[in-house]
Structures are given as C-alpha cells and as structure tokens.
Amino acid sequence: MAKEAKKRLFIKVTRENLPQVKDKYPFLYLERGRLEIDDSSVKWIDCENNVVRIPAAVINTLLLGPGTSITHEAVKVLAAANCNVCWVGEDSLLFYAAGQSPTSDSRNLRSQMLLAADKKKSLEVARRMFAMRFPQEDLAGKSLKEMMGMEGHRVRALYKDLAEKYKVGWKGRSYKPGKMEMSDVTNQVLTSANAALYGILTSSVYSLGYSPHIGFIHSGSPLPFIYDLADLYKKDLCIDLAFALTLEMGGRYNKHTVSEAFRSRVVAIDLLDRIAKDIQHVLYGD
Amino acid sequence: MLVAVANHLPPAVRGRMKLWFVEPRPNVFVSGVKDSVADGVVEYLLDHCPPESGLILFQRSNKPPGYKIRGLGDHTRALVEISGLQLVQEKNGLLAK
C-alpha cells in the first residue's frame, strides 16, 4: 500500500447540501417494517422483506405508523439530514420526535419568543392569523376572546354548509382519544387528517427553527403554535376533505383512500412552500 | 433533463435515441431536453422499445420530488410508490427467500 493520504469516504452532511424545506417532499407514511442504516443510508424493510432506500435528505417528515421500528443509527442519520420523524398511531394520537442538527441557529425561536411575550404584539400576530382565514371580517380592535368566539361560530357554520353541500349527515364534531372507531366516518377522517397535518406542521416548524410550543391563539395545549397554524389550512385540507370523502367512501372508513386524498391536497396547495411564507407573514406582517 | 437506463436496446432505437441523448456508459442515456419535447421523447421511447429492453426513464419535473419515473418491461429493479413518492426497490422480498 503506497503512503498516500487516504481520502475520506464519508460525506459529511452540512446545511449547504440540504434542500430548503419548501423544495422537499412533504411526507412519507410508513407502517409495519423497519428503518435501519446500511452503507450510511436509510433503508426501509417492509413486512414482506422488500427493501427500499429512503432519500431522507429530500423528505420533510417520516410519519411512522403502527408496527414500525427504527434503529438508533437511523435516528442519528435522519437528524443530520434534517428529516423529521413523527410517530402516529392508528388512533391518530400524535407523538413526535424532532431531530435538530446542531448547526441550526436559534434566531427565529428568539424572535417568536419575543413576540409571544409582548401582549400587544402577540395579539397582532393572532389578528393576522384570523385575518388570513376571514379576510372579509373587520377585526380591528377586537380582543382575542372576541375573535375566538367569532371563529367558533364561523367554523360550526362551515361544518353545516359542507354537510349540506355534500349531503352528509352531521351531528357535530366529536373526538375521543383512543376511541377513533366509535365516531362517525366524517369525524374519523377529520381526526386522522388533522393528526397528519399536525405532524407535517410540527416537523416544518422545527426545520424552520421555530418552536411548536409557543402559540398566539391557543395556549396550554401541548403544541399551541401548531394548532394556530393548522387552523390556517384545515378548511381545505381536512374539513372539506372529510365531508367530500364521507360521500365518496359511502360511509365505510378506508385509511388508504383518506391518506391518498389528503396527500394530493397537500401537494396541490404546495403546503411546505406556503408554511414558510405564512409563518413569515403572521409573525412579522410583511 | 431526461435520463434513461436500459438493459439492452435494439440498434435502431439506440441510434435514434442519440439524436437527443449522449451515452456516457453503455445503456445509460442522458439528455437536456425538457417540457413538451421531453414528454414527446418519453412517449416515443415507451411506444417503440420492446419490453425486453427493460427501460427506466427519469424525467425532471418542477414539483417535489423533482422527477417522474417511468418503467418499461423487466428493468431488474421494481419501481414502488410510497405516499406518492416514486422510489426504486432494491430487493424483492418475496423472491429472495
């Protein structure tokens, strides 16, 4: 062996060679299989022993469903590639884990904190969020409580309108954790679409360097900022979808139909691109 | 951008392909055509290549993930789709007992 300097085979993943959030594929949902590392890339082995490599650096989130296992090394590589992992259950109770690479800075988190800590500015952010959803309303001078009351009223009316539009019976929103199959089909679709949306939002919020825990409208819940943002997109992505699918599925819940339809809507509105712009808009009002 | 990988191609098709493609390695073709021209080339290849040519075509698209994959005949590695993302399966478990 000649005494030449050995070239490093291992390519270090840095922020320069990772795509921006908006250019990534929004999410992959995986269930019943194993994620591990082989030759330093992420390998998915499903329950029939088929092997597929996952190009983790170009995917925003992996949603891991029931029956998945993931190795320690895989989490390490996914974190380095800035690909987030969320665990979602069939009952759609959402747990999440976020890998943050140590290179990311906390500038955005700091500005989010400062906004939330200032009562006046925080109300302004909340107002911009409501204004995005109800552009024809006059929100000037309204308190957070008034705006939230107004919103509840609007959302209930929206449920009713859609129920009439798609001719679906609607007895109101019901969500009981762990009792997914007890509710009607429309509620089931809503619950699972919401969970998937929370997963995507949580991971994008982390990738953009903000915190899911500092909200402007919601508070006290585990992920207030996520629920704030989710409300901006729920109308088209979840609520309209739920009523449209209830009609289409003929009252029988089919999770493949649901995730297929949900994903095509996410891609159609280019959600990841919009999240980045919308966060910028609601926080700083430009 | 269009990339085609084949098992083997009939000489006529191969010659015709080189109107658009360069062939840096045997059976690996790369071309810079885009948009409707690329669509036309893809259609042409899928119509005129016999199934045993085992062709996989990668076409640039401007929506994530940035490519579309089309396969023809037996291209040794299966194409799969997970949550709408087209990926290449490296091992087929049911055959690899």
Side-chain angles (χ1 to χ4, degrees):
Chain A
M1 189 76 192
K3 276 195 177 172
E4 49 186 86
K6 262 201 165 165
K7 260 223 163 106
R8 269 178 66 116
L9 277 176
F10 199 72
I11 305 167
K12 199 160 164 27
V13 182
T14 60
R15 279 180 74 178
E16 286 69 55
N17 50 28
L18 290 175
Q20 289 187 319
V21 173
K22 68 178 171 62
D23 297 327
K24 290 188 182 188
Y25 194 75
F27 67 96
L28 291 193
Y29 172 75
L30 300 169
E31 64 178 19
R32 295 183 175 77
R34 196 178 146 75
L35 272 177
E36 51 182 57
I37 298 295
D38 191 2
D39 311 335
S40 69
S41 81
V42 184
K43 188 166 91 176
W44 167 248
I45 308 164
D46 71 9
C47 57
E48 290 173 340
N49 256 337
N50 301 320
V51 177
V52 180
R53 301 275 169 171
I54 306 288
V58 294
I59 293 166
N60 182 44
T61 320
L62 294 179
L63 299 175
L64 300 185
T68 49
S69 57
I70 180 166
T71 60
H72 178 280
E73 192 63 19
V75 173
K76 193 172 115 185
V77 171
L78 290 171
N82 204 2
C83 172
N84 293 281
V85 184
C86 295
W87 279 264
V88 294
E90 249 154 349
D91 57 355
S92 291
L93 280 174
L94 183 83
F95 306 92
Y96 64 89
Q100 282 189 291
S101 42
T103 47
S104 55
D105 76 17
S106 50
R107 190 186 54 216
N108 286 347
L109 174 64
R110 195 181 141 79
S111 71
Q112 184 188 0
M113 293 272 194
L114 288 171
L115 286 171
D118 182 324
K119 264 212 167 91
K120 232 169 94 181
K121 284 183 181 159
S122 156
L123 184 63
E124 282 307 309
V125 173
R127 189 163 294 143
R128 278 193 288 269
M129 285 179 169
F130 283 117
M132 272 182 75
R133 293 168 60 197
F134 310 113
Q136 64 282 29
E137 299 290 337
D138 177 24
L139 300 170
K142 280 206 163 93
S143 72
L144 185 60
K145 214 171 162 176
E146 286 170 330
M147 288 191 286
M148 283 173 85
M150 182 199 87
E151 174 216 32
H153 192 72
R154 295 271 179 297
V155 170
R156 278 192 296 278
L158 174 71
Y159 284 142
K160 252 178 70 178
D161 290 349
L162 286 172
E164 276 168 28
K165 178 181 164 191
Y166 291 108
K167 305 205 174 16
V168 170
W170 177 249
K171 296 197 268 316
R173 176 84 176 114
S174 75
Y175 165 65
K176 297 188 188 66
K179 293 244 185 341
M180 168 108 170
E181 54 284 350
M182 298 289 285
S183 49
D184 59 61
V185 174
T186 317
N187 271 302
Q188 285 184 8
V189 179
L190 264 175
T191 302
S192 57
N194 285 349
L197 178 60
Y198 297 153
I200 301 170
L201 286 170
T202 304
S203 59
S204 338
V205 163
Y206 269 122
S207 340
L208 293 165
Y210 294 99
S211 162
H213 307 294
I214 312 287
F216 296 89
I217 297 170
H218 295 79
S219 59
S221 42
L223 304 168
F225 192 49
I226 301 303
Y227 305 143
D228 286 358
L229 292 172
D231 283 344
L232 302 178
Y233 312 110
K234 265 186 190 172
K235 187 180 157 190
D236 295 331
L237 283 182
C238 307
I239 302 174
D240 187 83
L241 174 96
F243 285 96
L245 281 185
T246 307
L247 186 68
E248 197 179 304
M249 295 192 301
R252 294 277 307 274
Y253 182 81
N254 175 333
K255 69 174 180 193
H256 299 292
T257 315
V258 175
S259 70
E260 181 63 37
F262 175 75
R263 204 193 55 247
S264 62
R265 288 195 185 207
V266 168
V267 172
I269 69 165
D270 214 343
L271 182 66
L272 291 182
D273 188 25
R274 273 183 53 181
I275 291 172
K277 289 180 181 143
D278 289 349
I279 290 182
Q280 195 71 15
H281 169 74
V282 294
L283 292 185
Y284 312 111
D286 42 38
Chain B
M1 181 89 173
L2 204 54
V3 176
V5 183
N7 293 344
H8 60 266
L9 285 167
V13 175
R14 186 190 222 107
R16 183 44 63 97
M17 277 181 80
K18 292 196 189 167
L19 296 177
W20 300 285
F21 294 86
V22 291
E23 192 178 1
R25 287 268 179 94
N27 290 321
V28 177
F29 299 86
V30 182
S31 162
V33 292
K34 57 183 192 196
D35 308 332
S36 59
V37 180
D39 287 337
V41 173
V42 167
E43 289 313 310
Y44 170 84
L45 291 175
L46 292 178
D47 284 347
H48 290 82
C49 292
E52 52 273 16
S53 53
L55 197 64
I56 294 192
L57 289 160
F58 290 80
Q59 186 183 350
R60 204 206 118 78
S61 78
N62 47 16
K63 270 210 145 60
Y67 59 76
K68 268 209 303 263
I69 314 182
R70 238 84 58 94
L72 175 81
D74 176 23
H75 33 68
T76 53
R77 283 191 171 176
L79 301 176
V80 292
E81 197 171 284
I82 301 179
S83 304
L85 178 66
Q86 293 181 299
L87 294 168
V88 178
Q89 190 167 295
E90 303 196 354
K91 253 205 223 116
N92 192 333
L94 293 176
L95 298 176
K97 278 279 175 273

